Amino acid sequence: MTRAAQVAALSAGAVGAIGPTAPAGPIAEEDWTAALSAVRDLPADPDILLVCHVNPDGDALGSMLGCGLGLVRAGLPVRATFPAPFELTPPFDQLPGSELLVDPATAPAAPDLLVCFDAASAARLGELADRLDTAGTSIVVDHHASNTRFGTIHLVDPRAAATSVVVEELLRRLGVPLDQQIAECLYVALSTDTGSFKFDLTTPAVHELAARLLATGLRPAEISRRLFDSRPFGAMKLYGDVLARATFEADAAAGRGLVWSFATLADLERHGQPRHVLEGLIDAVRVAEEADVACVLKQAGAEEWTVSLRSKGGVDVAAVAVGLGGGGHRLAAGFTADGTLDEVMSVIRGALDQP
Ligand code: AMP
Ligand code: MN
Ligand code: MN
């Protein structure tokens, strides 16, 4: 969304007014039945395409590749992809199942079956969203409350801690046993979206699923270090710069407090770092206990920013992000914005101040 549109949405009171569209509650039995039939009734030698959201995170890639490996074990030919930029960056470049990945430019134009993972809306599929019109059947597998139900069959559970929770049930219902490779994908997804089993939706069922995954022989210490506790020395120094310039605004977010910082393209260049090292920045900033809301702006172009928002509970940052053209979960959301740093920050301050 352009800054003008974001400002217009703000003044029209749209921020916060856009509510969840997925029904709250578990996935209906008829949706499971429809999904199982869609997989079982495929023609001989089918084209099956799996896609996940742009700039995929651990849940998007882990859910997609875990499901892809499961379908391969069931004897189905599977290709998987995600929208440009089509780059697999650390820590996700070592995921099992990456041999299923094909460039989005060569992905089948009209697959018999399309399965979408961890995408709340068609826009999150970028240039691959056109496959929703050409596919025989499309199954949407997701856990965002804001999911717009853009496919033909919807396996969407907003109470699931990760999309991989839904994938594991799908594989179970298909009769595909978990093996260590599938489990590693699903574990990466689950531990990413629960922040290492720390966030709100970390239920007993989540730990039971983690136990089933670990029972395949996974090395959790190795996976966690790769996901959360490892970055290049230059990135560590860059984090130092970003933390040193963080700002705390006690009155922001209607008095709940805001801590925010930013990373520029010049920061990346100065420290010789690729962009993906910025993914964990929000976790370093959101620790400030005085602020309910944390925000990190990551420069993507001269006047373009990728924004991460987090709340400790007082603010529905998904509503804020949806109002500004993005999406996410109640306590973790994001969007992209055009404008200078000051311009984007004033839009964010305005959106956070709305009741
Ligand atoms: P991030 O801050 O990038 O870790 O994203 C936090 C959450 O917000 C994730 O669940 C994302 O799926 C969601 N999100 C981030 N950016 C966007 C966007 N531009 N549009 C929709 N959802 C987003
Ligand atoms: Mn995701
Ligand atoms: Mn997710």
Side-chain angles (χ1 to χ4, degrees):
M1 199 187 258
T2 63
R3 190 176 60 89
Q6 282 163 341
V7 171
L10 201 58
S11 46
V15 174
I18 300 170
T21 46
I27 295 163
E29 232 10 80
E30 66 215 52
D31 292 326
W32 284 116
T33 306
L36 295 195
S37 306
V39 175
R40 286 180 180 143
D41 299 345
L42 283 165
D45 198 20
D47 259 341
I48 303 174
L49 181 63
L50 313 187
V51 297
C52 67
H53 67 70
V54 66
N55 297 323
D57 52 21
D59 191 27
L61 280 171
S63 295
M64 177 171 78
L65 296 178
C67 189
L69 286 172
L71 295 176
V72 168
R73 307 288 190 257
L76 292 166
V78 169
R79 280 172 282 187
T81 192
F82 55 87
F86 183 65
E87 287 160 21
L88 212 50
T89 52
F92 305 125
D93 50 348
Q94 294 176 35
L95 271 178
S98 49
E99 67 278 6
L100 303 177
L101 288 168
V102 296
D103 192 298
T106 64
D112 299 297
L113 176 64
L114 177 74
V115 191
C116 312
F117 296 88
D118 204 39
S121 65
R124 297 280 283 161
L125 302 178
E127 73 272 25
L128 291 158
D130 64 359
R131 304 307 198 280
L132 291 163
D133 299 323
T134 55
T137 308
S138 55
I139 305 179
V140 171
V141 185
D142 188 38
H143 68 130
H144 289 88
S146 63
N147 189 286
T148 58
R149 300 179 81 82
F150 53 90
T152 45
I153 298 167
H154 301 95
L155 303 179
V156 179
D157 183 357
R159 297 176 319 170
T163 294
S164 64
V165 172
V166 184
V167 168
E168 194 253 1
E169 181 159 0
L170 177 62
L171 293 181
R172 191 150 26 93
R173 285 175 180 251
L174 283 168
V176 178
L178 294 174
D179 61 26
Q180 193 174 328
Q181 288 193 309
I182 296 173
E184 178 166 339
C185 290
L186 301 185
Y187 189 85
V188 164
L190 189 62
S191 54
T192 297
D193 267 28
T194 57
S196 240
F197 306 96
K198 287 185 290 196
F199 297 160
D200 248 2
L201 289 169
T202 310
T203 57
V206 163
H207 281 289
E208 281 158 16
L209 170 54
R212 287 198 294 283
L213 299 174
L214 290 180
T216 64
L218 294 186
R219 308 281 299 269
E222 237 169 68
I223 296 172
S224 294
R225 190 180 322 110
R226 211 185 324 135
L227 286 179
F228 303 110
D229 297 333
S230 171
R231 62 179 54 103
F233 182 68
M236 187 194 86
K237 301 285 279 180
L238 190 162
Y239 274 46
D241 292 354
V242 172
L243 291 179
R245 67 167 80 108
T247 304
F248 169 58
E249 300 181 16
D251 297 334
R256 292 188 173 86
L258 166 69
V259 58
W260 67 276
S261 193
F262 62 95
T264 63
L265 297 175
D267 291 327
L268 290 172
E269 185 160 350
R270 192 171 63 258
H271 290 287
Q273 294 302 310
R275 206 179 144 64
H276 67 79
V277 304
L278 304 179
E279 290 310 311
L281 258 184
I282 187 68
D283 291 320
V285 171
R286 69 182 170 81
V287 298
E289 63 185 16
E290 293 84 351
D292 181 76
V293 179
C295 172
V296 168
L297 299 92
K298 295 162 277 188
Q299 190 175 25
E303 294 209 342
E304 190 188 343
W305 302 84
T306 304
V307 182
S308 289
L309 289 170
R310 300 290 185 269
S311 165
K312 296 190 178 75
V315 175
D316 181 353
V317 290
V320 171
V322 168
L324 298 176
H329 306 281
R330 200 172 71 80
L331 303 182
F335 64 98
T336 56
D338 293 329
T340 65
L341 184 66
D342 286 348
E343 287 167 348
V344 176
M345 271 316 296
S346 35
V347 167
I348 293 169
R349 282 191 200 93
L352 288 172
D353 275 337
Q354 299 213 350

